[in-house]
Structure formats: structure tokens, C-alpha cells
Amino acid sequence: MAGLAGAQTSDQGFRLGAVHASDSGMASADLNMVNDRGTPTRRRPIRRLDAVAQNRIAAGEVIERPASAVKELVENALDAGAGRIAVTLADGGKRLIRVEDDGAGIPAAELALSLERHATSKIDGDDLVNIATLGFRGEALPSIAAVSRLYIVSRPGEAAAEIGAVAGTIEPARPAARAPGTTVEVRDLFCATPARLKFLKTARAETQAVVEVLRRLALSAPGVGFRLTDLGEDPATGTPRVLLDCPPERGETEAARLARASRLMGADLEADGVAIAAEREAFRLSGIAGLPGLARGSAVHQYLFVNGRPVRDRLLLGAVKAGYGDFLIRGRHPVFALWLDCPPAMVDVNVHPAKAEVRFREAATVRALVVGTLRRALGAAGHEGGSTLSATALAQMTPIEGPAAGASNGDAAERARNLGAGALRWMGAARRPATGGEWRPPAPTATEPLPGLAETATPFALPAGAEAAHAESEEVALNHPLGTARGQLHETYILAETAEGLVIVDQHAAHERLVLERLKRERAEQGIKRQALLIPEIVDVGAEAEGVLAAAEDLAALGLVIEGFGPGTLCVREVPVLLGHACPAALLRDVADELATAGTTEGLEARLDAVLSRMACHGSVRAGRRLSLAEMNALLREMEATPGAQWCNHGRPTSVRLGKADIERLFARR
Ligand code: ADP
Ligand code: MG
């Protein structure tokens, strides 16, 4: 017994309230108390909990599930300077967690101390500011030891030693054999706290959580090799399965981080992500941000590191979200791995038991750096960037076989439609045109008058000399990033030829973004220009009318002037000039809808941005409208001039690109 009380005693101390009144035998015990369930209890004298009870309580905070034990043990290995770390699990970590490293080891004389609470080799207690290690609280090993069967064997120098603990009761250390480094083995986690055991999920879910924790740690230390092996349910009989295997990445820090990120987060990120590198004052931000098309339905694959420490910090996550802004539709979550580095004194890491949150001394600077960098990087991702068809998509474009295609036209059309849907993966079903699927002859030539341009909702501003642009030489025309329009498909997609290949633009998605950016520009400059409706429109909005009315002033700043008009009814007086002849009723209903879904959880600014984005939709050219070549080219040129135009207001790409080489590959010319 290394000076700690046995598990037995601790259980007594732990089960507060289950003690007879006579236990306390003191006058003060007569003081009757009522607990919050209304049961009378007796006050017991204050006494210090013994070490095992303290550790079990701490374990409740620090060790929530197998994945949190893995996190603490691997962090210890990293702090010990390990070059390779191997983790082995059985039954989702419930029966076995083993972490082996080749780090500095623990001297035999300190093994018992390593299992004591608030005992650490990492800080001296004086300086909580310059913390460079992942651990420093001295809580993990004693917490795990208090709720499991723990075994450590370690070799710091020439001699190895081992120590064991069962539910907090420590056996004396004794000599052992091992290569330099440390092995920590945790068996039957939570055997001492059955209540916690009951809360664990299936082995599969717990294993998944461990994989996620290891991914995070592996990203935080790209120079270290990681391997995770699952032994299945029974550690004695299971066949080992390697779930994660990363060799140490060589090279400079930032290059190694990127290499590790592509290894762990998939080839998609490499192809459809932008590299980030920026500095502001003492802070540096680097890593990779997935383009909006990679966004997921849940917040997976979001990795943040502060000075190499994995965090899930609210300030940072909020800043990233703001950086993506209207490149993403609500409910979609971007994919990213971002590292923030700064002098240790600029950040307090001692604000969270699991060290997931941090506090910055200059939070505003950090936010500005993150928001600004992401906004710029995503906006400038370029028309060559993310929307290139991926290799996977290309692979789905199988040739249409032989004469059968001609024989059964319907089939061929169906086939073509399916191929298109599969291959052009960015264009979701939502934007599939309602029109038929057959291929049309090329759109009318440029000599035809621009049909309906004057009376369209918001024609693209045909730049002065748009006609002249037509006269530009083939070479110049093809060298525009989005090329020169050759035709329109399904009255929805613009086909443009570039020097490099073929570009397909979703006319509605693209124009929607252009209108939004123009609205934002107006708002930032002289305010959004409004025009009064000749006849004010009365709109029945229903229950949401009140919420809309409450926002009347903010909406007026966005160019939409409304008034109350009896219960559930509103009157639209003015609309933004840019929205042209948009239907005021449909516009207002959409705005009401947006305000209602955004609720009050989001900041005012974010809600108004969302409203503006909805409004833009009403001012944009629809799918299903025939465009002339001049109109198409005007749209392409404005897209090139507008940052962020490669994403629609919901973060879907507005264009996709097929390279000449890709086309040649499709026809087996390469
Ligand atoms: P902390 O990491 O906060 O110091 P822990 O309870 O996790 O607290 O570990 C206690 C101590 O045990 C550490 O300070 C360290 O000296 C030692 N230790 C734990 N794991 C290892 C390891 N894998 N290699 C070397 N030393 C270790
Ligand atoms: Mg630790």
C-alpha cells in the first residue's frame, strides 16, 4: 500500500447519505436537513475525503469513456517525447486499453508517485503561464487507476520496473523487463464505478470515439508515428485489426501537418481544400480548409490546434464558422484542420479539465485573423480550384455503348441524365431542371436579340462594350478563366470553352451569388437602394407577421420596407432596386420564413446576412430561362470579377470544370 487508503474504506466515504444517523453521534447531527428530493437527512460532520474517493470523483470529470482514457495516456506518451505510439483496444476499450511508447520513461522510484493526484513532472506549480506540455494537472493516471485495473511498466534508462493498481489500491513497484519507453495497460475500465459503466455505448461506438481522439492527436503531432489496433471483443482470442496507421511525417512542421491531414482526412480534402497560411501580430494560422462542396451534415472532420494542442474551443469554432459565412448553407459543417500558433503566454490552457477550451489574451486579434484569412482564402480559391471534377466523379462517366444508344433514344437520354447526375456531383437534385432530359441543340447565336432582357427580374448588367467583347479574338476569349460561352444546356447550364477544357456554369446559382455580393456591396457603401412599389402589396404572413414586424427597421436597412396591416398581415411598400420585379409577396414570405428558422439563437448580424441571402435568390435569373451568348458571357465575366462567385449562397459550386486531358481520357485518347 503506497500510503493510500483501500478501496473498501473509500466506498464508505463515497456513499454519502447512506449512513445511519447514529453514525455521527454529535449534538450538531440533530440539526435536521431536507434534501432536494424532500427526504429529511441529517447533517454529517465535515471531513476530508480519502485519496481514492477524491480520485474517483476526479475521474468522473477527466475520464468519461474509454476514448478519454486513451487521450490522456497518449498525451502522456507525447509529453514523454515518444517517436512512435501504439494503442491496442479490446471491446471498445472497456476490457483493455494498452498504450505503448518509446518515450523517456518513468524512474522506478517515481512509479508510485505517478499514481498520486496532483503529482506531475511537468510543471513546478509556480508558472501556469508558460505550459508547453499537453498534461500538467497530474490527474489522469490516479483517476484512471481509481476506476480500473491499471498496470504500468516503464524503462527510463537501463532498468525497467512495473507497478499495478486495482481500483485505486496500489501495489509496490518491482523490477521488470522492457525496451526503453512506457506501457500503460488499463483493464476493466469503470469496474469500480458501475454507474459510469452503464452509460457506455456499444463497443463499436466507443471504438469509433477512440479513432476520433487518435485522429486528433495524430494531427497534433505529425512527426510521431501512430497505430491503433482493435483486438475485438476478447483480448485473448480476438484477431487484431489495424484501424489507423500513420508513419511519422518527415519535413518541416507545416508541411508535415498538411501531409498528415491528407493522410487522415482523405484525398478529397487534398483536392478540394485550400492551404491556409497567415499571420497577425503574434499569431500564425496554418493548415487546410475544405472548400464548401466538402461540407458535411455534421461537425466531423473539424480539427483545431492551439500550439499543437487539440482543442474544441468555442471562440475558434465560431470564428471559423464566420469565416465560411455565406459560403455555407445553414446546417452544413465545413471540414478543416487548422493550427494556431502563438507564444505560450498569449493563451491560457488551464481553463478546462479536459483542456478542450482555451482562453486568449487577445481574443479579438485571433478572431480577426481566423475570419479574415478564411474569407479571403475561400473567396480567392479561384475558378480553377475546387470545382474541378474529381477523379471519382470522372470514373463514374462510363462510355455509352455501341449502337444501342441510337436504337433506343429514351434509354440513352435516361442514361445521359443519370451519368450527368452522378458525375457532376456538385449539382444536387435540388437544382436539377424541371425540364426534360434530352439534349438540345446549341443555344441561339449571338446575332439574335437579347430576349426579355429588359423585363427580366434582374438582368445581369451587361457591361458597356459587351457587344465589343464578342468581337474579341478567339484567343483572348478562351483565356478568360471561365472561357467563352458556347451554348446553354437545359436552359439551366452555361457551357463555356476555355483554353484548358470545358466549364459548366449553373446560371441560377451563379447569378444568385452575384446579386448577393452586389447587395452586400451596396449595404457597405451607400446603403441598399430601394424603390417604392406603385401599388403596395398586402401579404398574409400568418403567425410570423409579428416577428417580421419587430425586425422592420433592420429590414428597411436591407431595402425592404414593410408595415403592419392588421393581424397576420403585412404591407410591402419598398423593395431593393436590385431585386427588380421580384414578386414582393414571395419575397416577404421567404424573409419571414428565414427570420423564423434563424430564431434568436443566432446573432443579429448572422440573421440579417441570411435574410439578404434569401432576398438575393428572388433577384436572380432562374433555371429555365433561355440566355443569349452575350448574356452568358456577361455573366461569366462578372463571375470572374466577383470574389466568392465560385460558390452559390449555399456553398454549392457555381461551376464545374472538365479538363481537356480528362475529356481525352474519357474517350480513351490517353
Ligand atoms: P500529468 O500528465 O498531468 O503530469 P498524469 O497523471 O497524466 O499527469 O501523469 C503523471 C506523471 O506520470 C507525469 O507527469 C509523467 O511524469 C509520468 N508519466 C505518465 N505517463 C508517462 C509516459 N507514458 N512516459 C513517461 N512518463 C509518464
Ligand atoms: Mg497526463
Side-chain angles (χ1 to χ4, degrees):
M1 299 274 151
L4 293 185
Q8 238 28 47
T9 357
S10 82
D11 267 346
Q12 293 287 326
F14 197 45
R15 260 186 275 120
L16 296 169
V19 179
H20 286 290
S22 59
D23 275 12
S24 55
M26 284 173 72
S28 67
D30 289 332
L31 213 154
N32 279 317
M33 312 264 293
V34 174
N35 71 12
D36 56 6
R37 273 163 288 131
T39 328
T41 59
R42 294 236 163 161
R43 182 186 183 277
R44 309 172 72 225
I46 297 175
R47 55 177 157 149
R48 215 178 286 281
L49 293 174
D50 67 51
V52 176
Q54 288 185 25
N55 288 334
R56 254 175 226 172
I57 291 168
E61 250 191 346
V62 186
I63 310 299
E64 202 187 327
R65 58 195 298 193
S68 24
V70 170
K71 169 177 178 288
E72 293 294 336
L73 298 177
V74 171
E75 285 187 355
N76 281 347
L78 289 171
D79 282 346
R84 285 184 188 267
I85 299 174
V87 180
T88 309
L89 292 183
D91 197 17
K94 296 182 223 181
R95 288 177 76 165
L96 171 74
I97 297 168
R98 186 189 304 130
V99 177
E100 296 161 277
D101 68 54
D102 57 358
I106 312 172
E110 292 179 22
L111 275 177
L113 201 55
S114 77
L115 298 179
E116 259 179 60
R117 190 132 181 262
H118 302 317
T120 176
S121 60
K122 297 172 192 174
I123 57 168
D124 60 10
D126 286 345
D127 185 1
L128 287 183
V129 173
N130 292 297
I131 298 178
T133 50
L134 293 164
F136 57 85
R137 298 168 67 110
E139 280 185 320
L141 289 185
S143 299
I144 298 170
V147 297
S148 70
R149 295 196 286 134
L150 180 86
Y151 169 79
I152 306 177
V153 52
S154 188
R155 179 170 150 195
E158 283 313 307
E162 61 183 7
I163 195 168
V166 176
T169 307
I170 302 172
E171 292 156 13
R174 54 181 178 266
R178 195 205 187 278
T182 304
T183 301
V184 181
E185 213 171 87
V186 180
R187 283 181 189 266
D188 304 324
L189 184 66
F190 301 129
C191 62
T193 46
R196 180 55 65 94
L197 194 58
K198 275 201 211 108
F199 276 99
L200 293 186
K201 307 213 172 94
T202 59
R204 204 190 156 136
E206 295 299 340
T207 303
Q208 200 41 49
V210 171
V211 171
E212 189 51 28
V213 156
L214 269 191
R215 251 200 217 124
R216 214 166 273 280
L217 286 163
L219 283 167
S220 82
V224 177
F226 284 82
R227 175 190 278 260
L228 172 64
T229 311
D230 180 17
L231 294 184
E233 199 180 318
D234 186 346
T237 58
T239 13
R241 225 160 38 102
V242 175
L243 301 183
L244 199 127
D245 196 7
C246 318
E249 305 292 348
R250 309 282 170 215
E252 281 186 44
T253 314
E254 285 184 12
R257 285 171 175 174
L258 283 181
R260 178 71 40 108
S262 2
R263 193 184 295 278
L264 282 171
M265 297 168 70
D268 275 2
L269 184 65
E270 204 171 2
D272 290 342
V274 269
I276 301 289
E279 269 170 50
R280 192 174 174 127
E281 291 165 37
F283 297 92
R284 178 167 175 82
L285 184 71
S286 63
I288 188 161
L291 293 174
L294 283 188
R296 305 287 191 92
S298 68
V300 292
H301 287 316
Q302 299 192 335
Y303 301 103
L304 286 172
F305 306 90
V306 174
N307 288 343
R309 186 189 293 277
V311 297
R312 290 205 60 82
D313 186 69
R314 254 171 294 162
L315 170 104
L316 285 176
L317 284 171
V320 171
K321 204 172 155 211
Y324 273 87
D326 51 31
F327 291 136
L328 278 185
I329 192 170
R330 181 177 302 116
R332 298 297 287 173
H333 302 266
V335 167
F336 54 83
L338 294 169
W339 283 264
L340 185 73
D341 293 290
C342 65
M346 306 293 289
V347 53
D348 186 356
V349 294
N350 187 27
V351 294
H352 188 276
K355 297 158 285 185
E357 298 253 332
V358 293
R359 196 160 294 146
F360 292 103
R361 254 180 44 196
E362 289 172 30
T365 311
V366 172
R367 189 181 155 85
L369 171 65
V370 175
V371 177
T373 308
L374 282 176
R375 224 174 246 171
R376 262 192 313 279
L378 293 169
H383 300 283
E384 297 82 32
S387 29
T388 303
L389 289 182
S390 71
T392 348
L394 275 177
Q396 290 173 21
M397 284 198 187
T398 47
I400 299 174
E401 290 132 21
S408 140
N409 241 326
D411 268 12
E414 178 63 20
R415 206 51 196 287
R417 198 158 54 234
N418 291 339
L419 283 173
L424 305 183
R425 64 186 167 131
W426 299 117
M427 295 176 179
R431 211 174 292 288
R432 199 92 56 72
T435 46
E438 84 275 22
W439 293 69
R440 302 233 169 137
T445 60
T447 48
E448 214 173 274
L450 308 179
L453 188 61
E455 77 265 352
T456 359
T458 325
F460 338 114
L462 268 184
E467 299 305 327
H470 253 294
E472 68 190 3
S473 76
E474 262 310 274
E475 202 193 327
V476 172
L478 291 178
N479 276 324
H480 290 301
L482 292 175
T484 186
R486 291 288 186 225
Q488 194 186 20
L489 208 59
H490 304 309
E491 295 172 338
T492 301
Y493 306 114
I494 298 169
L495 294 184
E497 181 181 344
T498 66
E500 305 296 312
L502 163 76
V503 166
I504 309 173
V505 170
D506 179 329
Q507 67 190 42
H508 172 68
H511 194 233
E512 196 178 40
R513 163 63 65 178
L514 298 182
V515 172
L516 175 62
E517 292 301 324
R518 277 198 241 165
L519 283 169
K520 286 205 278 192
R521 220 157 32 213
E522 280 193 11
R523 179 171 62 164
E525 287 160 10
Q526 69 278 33
I528 293 175
K529 286 197 219 84
R530 311 192 289 240
Q531 69 185 23
L533 295 177
L534 276 180
I535 306 161
E537 179 118 355
I538 313 297
V539 188
D540 184 3
V541 185
E544 271 129 43
E546 229 163 280
V548 179
L549 209 49
E553 216 170 293
D554 295 317
L555 292 177
L558 299 184
L560 185 64
V561 177
I562 52 152
E563 282 167 12
F565 197 83
T569 310
L570 297 172
C571 164
V572 184
R573 294 206 163 275
E574 297 177 43
V575 297
V577 174
L578 266 178
L579 300 194
H581 296 173
C583 163
L587 174 66
L588 184 62
R589 285 205 188 93
D590 247 10
V591 166
D593 194 33
E594 188 59 52
L595 285 172
T597 30
T600 44
T601 50
E602 281 175 55
L604 180 67
E605 203 189 328
R607 289 171 69 200
L608 293 179
D609 282 351
V611 167
L612 205 61
S613 165
R614 278 278 188 118
M615 286 169 49
C617 178
H618 286 264
S620 51
V621 63
R622 298 280 150 175
R625 188 162 95 75
R626 255 311 149 95
L627 299 178
S628 72
L629 284 177
E631 284 176 303
M632 291 187 238
N633 277 317
L635 182 75
L636 296 180
R637 299 295 81 82
E638 192 172 339
M639 285 176 73
E640 287 159 358
T642 308
Q646 62 276 38
W647 314 113
C648 83
N649 301 351
H650 317 298
R652 283 187 285 266
T654 52
S655 65
V656 294
R657 173 180 304 272
L658 196 57
K660 238 193 228 163
D662 292 330
I663 298 174
E664 283 164 6
R665 233 170 261 132
L666 287 174
F667 291 100
R669 281 167 170 264
R670 279 193 175 225

